[in-house]
Amino acid sequence: SSLATAIRVTSFFLSAPRDFQRPRSPRRCRRVAMESRAGSSSPHGAVPSPAGCSSSYEADIAEHERPGSADYIAHSSSFLVNNVLERGSLKESGTVDESPPVKKKGAFAGVFVPTCENMWGVLIFLRFYYIVGQAGIWQTLCVVALSFAVALCTTASMSSIASSGGLASGGGPYHMISRALGPVVGASVGIMYWLAITMLAVLECLGAVESLAMAVPETEFPWHMQAIGSAFLAGLALTVWGGINIVTKLGLFFVIVVFYTLFSFYFGLFTAPHEEGGNEWLTGLSMANFEANWGPHYDRNNSFGTVLALFYPCFTGILSGANRSDVLKDPPKHIKHGTFAAIIFSFFMYVSFFILWGSVADYRYLQGHVHGGNEDLESEASHFDVGRTVVQNIVWNPFPKSAFIGIIIASLSQSLQCLIVAPRLLQQIARDDILTVLKPLAPLSKKGEPTRALLFTYLVAALLVLIGKLDLVAPLLAMCFLVAYAFMNCSCFALTWLKSPAWRPDWIHQKRWRAAYLFTAGMGFVLCLAIMITVNALWALVACVLALGLYFFINWKLEAREWGSAMDGIQYRLALRSLIHLEGSQQQCVNWRPQILILYRINVAEELQGIKHHEILRFSAQLRKSRGFCVVACVLESERRDELAMKRAAEEKSIIKEIMAEEGIQGFAEVVVAPTWSEGTSYIIQLTGIGGLVPNTVLLDWPDSSSEAVVAEQEKKDFVEVLQTALVAKKAVLGVKGLRDMPTEIVHGTIDIWWMIHDGGLLILLSWLLSQHRVWRSCHLRVFTVAENVSEERAKGAGEVLTQTLRQRRLIDVDVEVILLDHEIMEPYTFDWTLRVEDRHRFLRELHPNSRQLEPIPLEIDDLFDMESPQRSRAPSSAGDSPRSQRRPHHQGDEEHRAEVKVSDCRKNGCTSEAATGHKLGSRGHGHSIEAAATSAGHQSTSAIVPLAAEAATTSAATRSKSPFESIELGEKLGQIVHSRSKRAQLVVMNLPDLWGTEDDEVRNYMRYCDVLTQGLERVLFVHSSGREIFDICD
């Protein structure tokens, strides 16, 4: 055999034409080019070179690869023999179909005829007269029109998908849905469609058994429907197992029988009655019967949904063209033309049948009162008797029982076709390896038949045939088909709405045709759901739950596939639209939330060794409860930004993603290549985010003072540079000190909030967010507010205002203590106070230009005094009034609800009288002057406060030149006060002072001041707001 193969291969190449050449690889092109440059030449004449090769390449071909040469035969024969052996191995494995090529068919033979044959089932012969007798003519026509509309819309969707660029292939409708809506939806709908086709095979088998019982009453016995139906089903399965060629040869015979049976019914309806002196209600075609049967006459067991369920399966064969798309000459064109022609022709045929049935006899006869009385029709035997009488008295029978024989053969032929299509559909799903449980059904037999899928389909059908009643199978069948059609229409609608580049049906770029696609697909989807609910709301719910259950199960089990999905496009479109709208809404008080950018220092070597440093990620998860927008960013320090650096950055990014998944953090990971860590963090802070999803809070670790001197100094300088960049970019900064000691289990104690002049609302909000996590949930919140230049009475009033405000926001379990300090101690926090307040008020005016409210929250300590001070309360119509002074959280009747607020006077000289000091903030610059300038005379323009801002800046510069706080004594005094109250706190949340500068001495003094301030505290969260936080913690 091998010798014979070699001889045939050699003979083939010796007799091949000269221009037959095997494909050239780029490696051979390069080799020939090198030989040419080396001075090699060819004795042959020059010929045109293939694209991408030099002329010496063609010379080499002429010498070594011309037909008949040894090299040519050796290379080409080896290539072909390997190909033959490969195809042989594939054939043995059952993955290659070696059947001869099938003759291609057109729209009539390939689509119209099989579609009509699939739609014209047993229900036409056994249930049409009953439907008219129950629903009347006009409601029956409504049933036909509704079903036809669904078929028309679904056919339009199928045709558009088929013409969109080859999506309709050998996979049939499953292939179209899976490649349009993705494998998850495709598999879910494909399984529902397979179940529907299997049920259709069962329905036709039961119809054949019912016809047999009408023709031969002797076949009736207990459970005869199940017994004979199982026998019919087994015989049909064996026929399919014997090969599709047998069915193909019988196809013409089946078509002739179907058309003969339809003709016998038509002829009988026109010539009825065939016997004189029969039933008085059987009069033949007459206008009187038409008028009497025009309206509905439902009995107690039937309704519009019942007759709709009985009729709808007559329009369930519309996907037959897609099932045969691989044997069509032009699948997109022939599927569209053939299917539309089939459903339109069937529509008029059904209408004519119903009009004839409604005109041939009285509705009581059609309902089954064939003997002229009101006999009971509940028993199964009575149904057979009614059908037997109707068919014998109305249908034309050229020889005895010919109509029954035609019904039986037509039913079994359609059941046979269903048993051919269903296993192939199931094998397609199993071959895609979407569900591992179906994987054993994927292999084909040696003949290329899906034998395993056929066996499984038969077992399911054998169980369904035990239902034993045609009227019970019909609604279940309708539900399964409607689910498949609904998702197909949804597929077309989604692809058209998304304007996907891969979605290219005919005339899609014209607006009117695009609108037509949207209308037909959307209407088809709605009508499918409407019919399901009309037929049976409970069964509709079961079908939807089953489909959704399959969807979520497959989505849970399925890994990513290589084909796309319209669901991805829907998510992209919604995400893009949401990002655009979110950009402006993030400045609303109800929408503001911390969107955290974590600056993470990763040690890849230690991570690979199992040494984990995930403390900052865990703390972020506690702050966000593992939800919300989060970006974990890392800097890869490298002087070069070449391919190697980018590859290392990609590896670090994958490691960070694994860490985030391990810690249960939802978010994004980014790695930036930069010469230094501070430069890289500057890139990250400026460029991270898009639209409304831009981080507004930067979270980083506090520099470790225990490190080596050089390393510690560099880390402190990097920290200050990051702080400066973040504040310039209008982002809040969170610096966490003591990260390694952060708890991971539930702790008990207190969370102490030290409100140092600024950022009060943000401090309380962050503490509340932490307290929602299980680790901090058992901790009690304490707020320490620091005030200066006020009396104890006014300090207590401000504390009561804060307590009442927090209670109104459901923060009841909060203790408030007001600490009175000298101005000198607070100078590191207040030297730049004027500029911060001015910037904050300017931002609020830009955000709400038509509102007089400047402060929606008590951001500064002074806001509490403004809210509390009765002297500042004026009439609403006063010109220079600040709206803050109008807010009174409590009234005289609320005295019993006033909280006990502790006031501690830690000043050198004790309490100072209010008359002497007032609350003018004179030592802080021009804070209230700025506010007054901003609010008086109905909001002056921003330019009106420029001189005040310049004066404030001059004052701040003068303060910095004196540098009274370069001494650590101020930090030590304030630190002693903090330590005496919070040394046992589980967490201290504190303001981060404004930067003093970026010079080395200023950085060193700044960081040393913060360390001294928190000396002795185990865990500290430093907070510095951006002034752009918009949230309301008061009523």
Side-chain angles (χ1 to χ4, degrees):
S1 175
S2 301
L3 181 60
T5 302
I7 293 174
R8 288 196 298 269
V9 169
T10 305
S11 302
F12 171 79
F13 282 104
L14 287 174
S15 60
R18 175 173 290 273
D19 58 351
F20 183 86
Q21 298 171 357
R22 65 181 178 89
R24 279 85 178 176
S25 64
R27 180 180 300 175
R28 184 165 180 80
C29 291
R30 290 194 298 268
R31 180 179 64 83
V32 174
M34 290 175 62
E35 292 176 355
S36 176
R37 286 194 297 268
S40 59
S41 60
S42 173
H44 299 275
V47 292
S49 302
C53 295
S54 62
S55 58
S56 60
Y57 172 75
E58 188 63 27
D60 183 82
I61 294 173
E63 176 63 26
H64 301 286
E65 296 188 341
R66 66 179 186 274
S69 67
D71 288 346
Y72 187 90
I73 295 176
H75 289 295
S76 301
S77 61
S78 174
F79 172 77
L80 185 57
V81 169
N82 291 335
N83 202 359
V84 171
L85 293 176
E86 181 182 0
R87 288 184 58 82
S89 63
L90 292 176
K91 180 180 179 181
E92 292 178 1
S93 63
T95 58
V96 173
D97 188 4
E98 291 292 335
S99 57
V102 181
K103 183 179 179 181
K104 299 295 183 178
K105 299 179 180 179
F108 181 80
V111 180
F112 179 84
V113 173
T115 301
C116 290
E117 192 177 359
N118 273 320
M119 288 193 295
W120 300 344
V122 69
L123 296 175
I124 298 177
F125 312 119
L126 300 183
R127 291 295 184 271
F128 270 21
Y129 61 87
Y130 183 74
I131 291 174
V132 175
Q134 293 289 335
I137 295 176
W138 78 268
Q139 285 200 11
T140 301
L141 296 181
C142 290
V143 168
V144 177
L146 192 61
S147 303
F148 172 73
V150 172
L152 192 69
C153 293
T154 306
T155 302
S157 298
M158 179 186 64
S159 301
S160 61
I161 295 175
S163 64
S164 177
L167 288 177
S169 67
Y174 159 72
H175 184 91
M176 289 191 298
I177 297 174
S178 63
R179 271 59 177 179
L181 278 181
V184 179
V185 176
S188 304
V189 178
I191 292 175
M192 296 296 294
Y193 185 66
W194 163 81
L195 184 60
I197 296 177
T198 306
M199 284 188 177
L200 184 59
V202 173
L203 179 78
E204 297 298 330
C205 274
L206 293 177
V209 176
E210 193 170 313
S211 301
L212 180 63
M214 294 177 184
V216 185
E218 293 78 8
T219 57
E220 296 183 36
F221 57 87
W223 298 90
H224 74 284
M225 292 288 292
Q226 291 84 348
I228 301 177
S230 299
F232 279 163
L233 201 60
L236 295 175
L238 289 174
T239 303
V240 176
W241 178 75
I244 195 174
N245 292 331
I246 301 176
V247 182
T248 304
K249 294 176 181 179
L250 295 174
L252 181 60
F253 170 72
F254 290 148
V255 172
I256 294 175
V257 171
V258 171
F259 276 96
Y260 160 75
T261 308
L262 290 172
F263 174 78
S264 64
F265 269 75
Y266 267 115
F267 187 80
L269 287 169
F270 277 106
T271 59
H274 300 294
E275 297 180 1
E276 297 293 337
N279 193 301
E280 61 179 349
W281 292 331
L282 178 59
T283 61
L285 297 176
S286 68
M287 195 64 185
N289 288 332
F290 183 86
E291 294 175 354
N293 297 333
W294 178 252
H297 302 89
Y298 295 112
D299 57 28
R300 64 179 182 273
N301 297 321
N302 291 284
S303 62
F304 183 80
T306 306
V307 297
L308 181 59
L310 284 176
F311 171 77
Y312 184 77
C314 295
F315 269 117
T316 56
I318 59 177
L319 298 184
S320 300
N323 292 330
R324 294 169 173 81
S325 58
D326 52 340
V327 298
L328 299 177
K329 296 178 181 178
D330 187 356
K333 178 181 177 181
H334 293 159
I335 287 175
K336 178 171 63 176
H337 294 171
T339 308
F340 273 120
I343 62 173
I344 293 173
F345 183 84
S346 300
F347 170 75
F348 286 106
M349 188 187 76
Y350 295 153
V351 169
S352 64
F353 257 123
F354 283 125
I355 292 176
L356 290 174
W357 278 114
S359 303
V360 77
D362 187 81
Y363 72 90
R364 285 162 288 190
Y365 183 89
L366 299 176
Q367 287 180 351
H369 304 287
V370 294
H371 300 298
N374 293 320
E375 63 273 11
D376 184 19
L377 301 176
E378 294 299 323
S379 65
E380 191 177 77
S382 65
H383 283 293
F384 298 148
D385 185 47
V386 169
R388 184 183 306 114
T389 304
V390 170
V391 172
Q392 289 177 350
N393 292 341
I394 297 180
V395 181
W396 177 62
N397 290 275
F399 57 89
K401 305 184 186 306
S402 63
F404 291 113
I405 296 174
I407 295 173
I408 294 172
I409 296 176
S411 302
L412 293 179
S413 67
Q414 187 171 1
S415 181
L416 187 64
Q417 293 181 23
C418 292
L419 288 178
I420 293 174
V421 174
R424 282 169 167 73
L425 175 62
L426 185 61
Q427 191 270 338
Q428 289 282 338
I429 301 174
R431 188 183 65 178
D432 282 343
D433 196 18
I434 293 176
L435 283 174
T436 55
V437 69
L438 298 179
K439 192 173 182 179
L441 306 178
L444 300 174
S445 65
K446 293 182 179 180
K447 297 180 181 180
E449 298 293 333
T451 306
R452 297 185 182 182
L454 173 63
L455 177 61
F456 184 79
T457 303
Y458 166 72
L459 293 176
V460 174
L463 293 176
L464 292 173
V465 82
L466 297 179
I467 297 175
K469 286 189 176 181
L470 194 72
D471 298 342
L472 293 180
V473 177
L476 300 179
L477 165 69
M479 293 296 172
C480 295
F481 271 114
L482 285 168
V483 169
Y485 295 165
F487 273 97
M488 181 170 288
N489 286 293
C490 179
S491 168
C492 181
F493 183 87
L495 292 173
T496 306
W497 177 64
L498 292 172
K499 299 180 180 179
S500 173
W503 177 241
R504 301 181 300 273
D506 295 336
W507 307 303
I508 187 61
H509 300 295
Q510 299 181 17
K511 290 184 178 180
R512 60 179 181 272
W513 284 106
R514 184 172 180 271
Y517 285 130
L518 289 173
F519 175 78
T520 56
M523 183 61 65
F525 179 76
V526 172
L527 289 177
C528 287
L529 295 181
I531 292 179
M532 292 173 65
I533 296 174
T534 303
V535 168
N536 191 307
L538 179 61
W539 283 115
L541 180 62
V542 171
C544 292
V545 169
L546 179 60
L548 291 175
L550 280 171
Y551 174 84
F552 287 116
F553 177 77
I554 297 172
N555 191 43
W556 176 50
K557 289 288 187 180
L558 184 65
E559 296 180 355
R561 296 294 172 185
E562 66 273 13
W563 53 77
S565 169
M567 289 299 181
D568 298 334
I570 293 174
Q571 294 176 1
Y572 168 78
R573 183 100 177 230
L574 294 177
L576 181 60
R577 182 172 297 178
S578 300
L579 285 174
I580 295 173
H581 289 293
L582 275 175
E583 189 168 7
S585 65
Q586 292 304 300
Q587 299 297 343
Q588 303 300 323
C589 61
V590 295
N591 293 328
W592 191 94
R593 68 209 63 176
Q595 297 178 353
I596 299 178
L597 170 62
I598 304 174
L599 299 181
Y600 184 45
R601 293 178 183 264
I602 183 173
N603 192 320
V604 177
E606 292 186 355
E607 288 289 340
L608 297 177
Q609 295 174 5
I611 303 175
K612 301 178 180 179
H613 300 288
H614 305 168
E615 295 84 3
I616 192 169
L617 301 181
R618 292 170 186 161
F619 182 77
S620 171
Q622 294 172 5
L623 187 61
R624 301 164 44 251
K625 293 186 67 176
S626 299
R627 296 191 298 267
F629 179 68
C630 173
V631 177
V632 180
C634 180
V635 178
L636 176 61
E637 298 184 33
S638 174
E639 293 293 339
R640 302 179 61 183
R641 296 163 193 171
D642 52 6
E643 183 178 359
L644 179 60
M646 296 302 168
K647 184 177 180 181
R648 287 183 56 196
E651 293 174 352
E652 287 194 6
K653 184 175 181 178
S654 63
I655 294 174
I656 294 175
K657 287 183 177 180
E658 294 176 0
I659 295 174
M660 294 174 66
E662 179 183 346
E663 298 295 337
I665 298 176
Q666 297 180 356
F668 307 93
E670 290 294 340
V671 176
V672 173
V673 180
T676 61
W677 191 80
S678 59
E679 184 176 344
T681 55
S682 176
Y683 299 156
I684 293 171
I685 293 172
Q686 295 179 65
L687 301 177
T688 301
I690 179 174
L693 290 181
V694 177
N696 54 28
T697 305
V698 178
L699 176 64
L700 69 163
D701 190 4
W702 190 263
D704 189 3
S705 301
S706 62
S707 304
E708 297 181 3
V710 178
V711 177
E713 288 297 323
Q714 184 60 42
E715 289 182 353
K716 292 177 181 179
K717 190 170 183 179
D718 291 343
F719 179 88
V720 171
E721 291 180 358
V722 169
L723 177 60
Q724 184 183 31
T725 304
L727 295 180
V728 171
K730 304 302 180 182
K731 300 183 188 297
V733 177
L734 306 181
V736 188
K737 186 177 181 181
L739 262 179
R740 300 190 177 219
D741 299 325
M742 282 293 172
T744 57
E745 300 298 331
I746 299 175
V747 294
H748 300 270
T750 63
I751 298 178
D752 290 357
I753 305 168
W754 282 86
W755 185 355
M756 307 284 191
I757 308 299
H758 307 293
D759 309 337
L762 183 58
L763 293 170
I764 296 173
L765 175 65
L766 295 175
S767 303
W768 180 83
L769 290 175
L770 276 174
S771 66
Q772 302 306 299
H773 194 272
R774 63 173 186 85
V775 173
W776 306 96
R777 193 169 298 160
S778 301
C779 292
H780 179 71
L781 294 182
R782 298 192 301 178
V783 179
F784 298 93
T785 62
V786 178
E788 52 179 324
N789 298 334
V790 296
S791 64
E792 292 188 17
E793 181 182 357
R794 294 204 60 196
K796 185 174 183 180
E800 291 173 352
V801 169
L802 178 59
T803 303
Q804 188 68 20
T805 300
L806 297 180
R807 286 189 175 184
Q808 291 174 356
R809 302 304 297 167
R810 305 288 183 182
L811 297 173
I812 298 176
D813 190 21
V814 176
D815 294 336
V816 176
E817 180 178 352
V818 181
I819 300 176
L820 301 180
L821 294 177
D822 292 317
H823 171 67
E824 291 77 12
I825 296 180
M826 296 304 301
E827 195 163 344
Y829 282 97
T830 61
F831 82 97
D832 211 11
W833 182 88
T834 303
L835 295 178
R836 291 192 61 179
V837 172
E838 177 192 353
D839 183 67
R840 171 72 176 178
H841 291 175
R842 184 185 298 110
F843 167 71
L844 291 176
R845 285 194 300 273
E846 293 174 356
L847 187 63
H848 304 292
N850 298 324
S851 174
R852 298 189 61 192
Q853 181 174 348
L854 290 180
E855 293 289 354
I857 61 170
L859 181 71
E860 311 291 339
I861 288 290
D862 293 329
D863 293 334
L864 296 177
F865 293 99
D866 292 344
M867 295 163 63
E868 185 271 341
S869 178
Q871 295 97 311
R872 297 171 63 89
S873 299
R874 302 178 184 177
S877 58
S878 300
D881 205 21
S882 172
R884 294 180 300 170
S885 61
Q886 305 298 327
R887 295 181 294 184
R888 295 302 304 271
H890 56 83
H891 305 279
Q892 294 180 357
D894 300 332
E895 293 298 331
E896 64 272 16
H897 299 293
R898 292 169 68 94
E900 290 295 331
V901 176
K902 184 178 180 180
V903 178
S904 300
D905 191 350
C906 300
R907 292 173 293 191
K908 294 179 181 179
N909 301 326
C911 180
T912 306
S913 65
E914 184 177 354
T917 61
H919 189 58
K920 301 300 182 183
L921 293 173
S923 60
R924 294 188 193 171
H926 304 277
H928 283 280
S929 300
I930 292 174
E931 179 184 347
T935 56
S936 62
H939 293 301
Q940 296 179 1
S941 63
T942 307
S943 61
I945 61 173
V946 171
L948 296 176
E951 183 180 352
T954 305
T955 304
S956 298
T959 304
R960 275 197 299 270
S961 64
K962 298 177 183 179
S963 300
F965 42 94
E966 288 184 1
S967 173
I968 307 304
E969 294 180 1
L970 299 177
E972 291 177 348
K973 292 179 181 179
L974 184 57
Q976 290 174 1
I977 298 174
V978 174
H979 185 267
S980 63
R981 289 163 173 77
S982 301
K983 58 185 176 182
R984 292 185 178 89
Q986 295 293 342
L987 178 66
V988 175
V989 184
M990 181 182 297
N991 298 95
L992 185 64
D994 287 321
L995 284 176
W996 304 346
T998 57
E999 299 296 332
D1000 292 343
D1001 292 340
E1002 294 173 328
V1003 169
R1004 190 179 305 109
N1005 291 332
Y1006 178 82
M1007 297 301 295
R1008 188 179 178 190
Y1009 174 85
C1010 295
D1011 288 334
V1012 169
L1013 181 63
T1014 57
Q1015 188 174 2
L1017 302 179
E1018 187 177 5
R1019 293 179 284 265
V1020 180
L1021 175 62
F1022 281 107
V1023 179
H1024 195 299
S1025 74
S1026 65
R1028 297 301 192 264
E1029 292 79 19
I1030 303 295
F1031 50 88
D1032 193 359
I1033 65 168
C1034 63
D1035 189 10

